[in-house]
Amino acid sequence: MIEVEGLTKTYGEKVAVQDLSFVARTGRVTGLLGPNGAGKSTTMRMILGLHRATSGSALVDGRAFVDSPAPMTAVGAMLDAHAVHPGRTARNYLDALAATHHLPARRVDEVLELTGMTEPSRRRVGTFSLGMVQRLGIAAALLGSPHTLVLDEPVNGLDPDGVHWVRELVRSLAAAGTTVLLSSHLMSEMAQTADDVVVLGRGRLVAAGAIADVVAAATASSVRVRLATESPAEPLTAAVTAAGGTTSATGDALVVTGLDSEQIGHLAARTGSVLAELTPQSASLEDAFFELTKDSIEYTTGGTTS
Amino acid sequence: MTTTDTGPTARLDLTGLLRSELIKARGLRSIQWLLALIVALPIVISVLTVTTSDAAAGTHEELTALALSTVSGTNWIPLLLVLMLGTIVATAEYERGAVQMTFTVAPRRTAVVLAKAILVGVTSLVATFLPAVVAYLLAAALLGGDDPATLGDPDVLRVITGTALYAASAGVIAMCFGFLTRSSIGAVTATIGFLYAVPALLQAIPVEAVGWFARTIPGPASTPLELPGHPEGDLTFTTALIAIVLWTAAALLLTCAVVRRRDV
């Protein structure tokens, strides 16, 4: 279990993470979700003691990670898969990591096999493709058979097979009792992997909880209504408002939230409005994510917002 | 998936970190090359010097001085290579940010710095001592003579040991600057600056205490360790040795303090 409590990190004037609290529970996959610059990596670095928190605490299984007598068995981490000297072979890299904790050489063989890296393990890391580097990073994270896994953007650079493999791997590890914390800026990826999500925006907690609840809360379902040209909008919008819904105009159509299409149909019949279109719209996960973080995107593209 | 149980036997300690650093060092070609040159060059140079000199067989003292000069006259060559070795052991960690994994598996970073220091210190000591002995003995054998030079002659073991001790200290100090600057070129520059430029500048100040302090800095303090005889105005062998050990320890303390505090 990872318990983050009031975690704050400032770099000079810039606040990277502010008063962040969440729990990643044992046996579950917790997704740290947010746009670039939201503080996901900084949070992971503070959990691992690589960056000192300005204030607050992060505990792994009840104690600060840096106090663990065998850190590799407590937490396996992959922050930046490219953080390997390009002149080493994969085997040399893993052997050196295993030696720190007196892990047997056959454990290195196991993780190489598990990640499909046995064959290229004698090659230098500098010659690896992005996907191979990522697999090596995951192999290194698994080396100590850790109780907790912390993976920063683990599916970056992997092909669809690889993405599926990572997903199955973390699901099976969580099922076996591992605490898994992984980050992504893709809501759709999280939806297929994570049990719980912690949504960050500009270093602050935006939402947290079981993924279905967070998505449901962020996606008020809406209905698109277009009236025949001769039919005025006013009677229907008044009726919708009276019934507790809200309307907004988009082009020649209305978007109604708070009521379902059947209720709107009844209202239209009662007010004599002629419907040309009545379409229920289910918001996608990406919409939910955008909805949650729209006020906290650090770098927005210039011009019109979509 | 078969899983080897890594639970009860897995632990983080200095022995494990030392083995890890040894594996890391062996895994880099630059380090293998440097080590090969540190070992081979003094021997090659010594043999070349003696075979190309047309010194006729002289007295025992002349033969000893000549054989020893092949070591003491060229000790700066392995020394420069040792500085690079020490630097790379530290700065290889900052190649593409590899250090973040090193400090994730060993979050008490002091132990990593110490393991590297032991690796650099012992490697530098052995890799400069043994080749110097071989170089001296080869030179002595090639020079021949009725009464050839031996290892037991006065000053010989002191000069060879002193040279190796200074190399070990300089290697560790270079490693410290590698951690402090996180850049190979920065570390080599800082090390040479500290060992030689700083004491030269300080000695220009006409205050006796400052001059004495400057002579304790390992660059000038190495003179009584590395040269035969005892030049006027230098520290004694023992004082120089203590000075070098203290400066090395100070560099290590500073490095540990900085590395522990710094965000990775």
Side-chain angles (χ1 to χ4, degrees), chain A residues 9 51 88 92 96 102 110, chain B residues 4 13 20 23-24 263-264:
Chain A
K9 179 72 184 181
H51 281 201
R88 294 187 195 294
N92 178 261
H102 304 272
E110 280 172 13
Chain B
T4 302
D13 58 20
S20 173
I23 292 169
K24 279 192 206 170
D263 284 349
V264 177

Side-chain angles (χ1 to χ4, degrees), chain B residues 60-84:
Chain B
H60 178 72
E61 283 71 25
E62 283 168 354
L63 289 171
T64 303
L66 198 55
L68 193 54
S69 73
T70 65
V71 175
S72 61
T74 58
N75 57 24
W76 56 274
I77 294 169
L79 180 70
L80 277 181
L81 296 168
V82 162
L83 294 186
M84 290 188 229

Side-chain angles (χ1 to χ4, degrees), chain A residues 9 45 49-52 65-66 69 71-72 77 79 83 85 88 92-93 96 99-102 106 110 124 144-145, chain B residues 2-4 6 10-13 16 20 23-24 27 29 92 95-98 100-101 104-105 107-109 263-264:
Chain A
K9 179 72 184 181
R45 275 161 208 273
L50 290 173
H51 281 201
R52 285 176 167 236
F65 166 67
V66 297
M72 277 180 92
L79 292 177
H85 193 293
R88 294 187 195 294
N92 178 261
Y93 172 62
T100 60
H101 282 60
H102 304 272
R106 63 178 184 280
E110 280 172 13
R124 297 209 268 159
S145 311
Chain B
T2 54
T3 308
T4 302
T6 52
R11 69 192 182 282
L12 177 68
D13 58 20
S20 173
I23 292 169
K24 279 192 206 170
R29 282 188 197 171
E95 189 82 31
R96 295 208 191 162
Q100 51 180 253
M101 199 58 183
T104 300
V105 302
R108 287 195 208 91
R109 304 172 190 174
D263 284 349
V264 177

Side-chain angles (χ1 to χ4, degrees), chain A residues 77-194:
Chain A
M78 182 186 71
L79 292 177
D80 174 6
H82 283 281
V84 182
H85 193 293
R88 294 187 195 294
T89 64
R91 178 87 213 188
N92 178 261
Y93 172 62
L94 295 175
D95 280 347
L97 289 176
T100 60
H101 282 60
H102 304 272
L103 302 180
R106 63 178 184 280
R107 181 61 194 158
V108 174
D109 297 330
E110 280 172 13
V111 294
L112 282 170
E113 181 145 2
L114 180 68
T115 53
M117 289 295 290
T118 308
E119 188 266 320
S121 68
R122 302 278 172 193
R123 274 170 54 189
R124 297 209 268 159
V125 176
T127 68
F128 283 4
S129 67
L130 183 57
M132 289 160 85
V133 168
Q134 203 77 2
R135 283 169 182 270
L136 178 61
I138 292 169
L142 296 175
L143 198 53
S145 311
H147 300 297
T148 300
L149 263 184
V150 173
L151 307 173
D152 199 1
E153 308 272 0
V155 300
N156 248 8
L158 291 178
D159 54 21
D161 261 5
V163 172
H164 181 74
W165 169 73
V166 170
R167 200 178 287 152
E168 295 297 307
L169 180 73
V170 297
R171 296 254 29 113
S172 70
L173 286 169
T178 308
T179 310
V180 182
L181 179 67
L182 46 86
S183 72
S184 177
H185 53 263
L186 298 175
M187 185 73 160
S188 53
E189 175 50 41
M190 281 296 169
Q192 298 180 67
T193 314

Side-chain angles (χ1 to χ4, degrees), chain B residues 193-246:
Chain B
F194 167 68
L195 292 178
Y196 300 107
V198 169
L201 289 173
L202 286 177
Q203 277 172 324
I205 300 170
V207 177
E208 203 183 331
V210 175
W212 182 87
F213 176 76
R215 284 198 297 282
T216 68
I217 292 176
S222 71
T223 309
L225 301 184
E226 293 188 309
L227 289 183
H230 182 71
E232 195 65 32
D234 279 327
L235 308 176
T236 66
F237 184 87
T238 316
T239 319
L241 197 58
I242 291 170
I244 280 174
V245 169
L246 288 179

Side-chain angles (χ1 to χ4, degrees), chain A:
Chain A
M1 185 163 71
I2 303 173
E3 296 157 283
V4 169
E5 185 66 51
L7 207 56
T8 300
K9 179 72 184 181
T10 55
Y11 299 101
E13 291 287 290
K14 187 168 161 48
V15 181
V17 174
Q18 187 162 20
D19 196 22
L20 178 64
S21 301
F22 68 87
V23 173
R25 282 183 286 162
T26 305
R28 292 175 75 89
V29 179
T30 303
L32 207 51
L33 188 65
N36 294 331
K40 306 184 294 289
S41 297
T42 305
T43 301
M44 288 181 161
R45 275 161 208 273
M46 284 192 283
I47 292 169
L48 295 167
L50 290 173
H51 281 201
R52 285 176 167 236
T54 308
S55 61
S57 69
L59 301 181
V60 179
D61 294 329
R63 67 174 154 205
F65 166 67
V66 297
D67 293 333
S68 171
M72 277 180 92
T73 65
V75 181
M78 182 186 71
L79 292 177
D80 174 6
H82 283 281
V84 182
H85 193 293
R88 294 187 195 294
T89 64
R91 178 87 213 188
N92 178 261
Y93 172 62
L94 295 175
D95 280 347
L97 289 176
T100 60
H101 282 60
H102 304 272
L103 302 180
R106 63 178 184 280
R107 181 61 194 158
V108 174
D109 297 330
E110 280 172 13
V111 294
L112 282 170
E113 181 145 2
L114 180 68
T115 53
M117 289 295 290
T118 308
E119 188 266 320
S121 68
R122 302 278 172 193
R123 274 170 54 189
R124 297 209 268 159
V125 176
T127 68
F128 283 4
S129 67
L130 183 57
M132 289 160 85
V133 168
Q134 203 77 2
R135 283 169 182 270
L136 178 61
I138 292 169
L142 296 175
L143 198 53
S145 311
H147 300 297
T148 300
L149 263 184
V150 173
L151 307 173
D152 199 1
E153 308 272 0
V155 300
N156 248 8
L158 291 178
D159 54 21
D161 261 5
V163 172
H164 181 74
W165 169 73
V166 170
R167 200 178 287 152
E168 295 297 307
L169 180 73
V170 297
R171 296 254 29 113
S172 70
L173 286 169
T178 308
T179 310
V180 182
L181 179 67
L182 46 86
S183 72
S184 177
H185 53 263
L186 298 175
M187 185 73 160
S188 53
E189 175 50 41
M190 281 296 169
Q192 298 180 67
T193 314
D195 302 299
D196 302 317
V197 279
V198 174
V199 184
L200 297 185
R202 282 196 183 166
R204 293 163 185 269
L205 184 71
V206 173
I211 190 154
D213 299 344
V214 171
V215 171
T219 53
S221 58
S222 60
V223 181
R224 182 182 152 90
V225 181
R226 192 160 59 80
L227 295 170
T229 27
E230 74 278 7
S231 184
E234 168 53 29
L236 183 61
T237 52
V240 165
T241 311
T246 53
T247 60
S248 58
T250 57
D252 60 346
L254 292 169
V255 174
V256 180
T257 50
L259 297 176
D260 64 23
S261 51
E262 191 174 334
Q263 291 171 303
I264 297 166
H266 283 298
L267 291 176
R270 206 187 311 146
T271 56
S273 305
V274 183
L275 294 175
E277 184 188 336
L278 183 66
T279 320
Q281 316 231 290
S282 60
S284 71
L285 290 166
E286 297 306 330
D287 292 338
F289 176 51
F290 187 71
E291 184 65 29
L292 283 168
T293 58
K294 67 180 176 189
D295 298 326
S296 60
I297 309 269
E298 187 173 18
Y299 309 104
T300 46
T301 48
T304 53
T305 49
S306 58

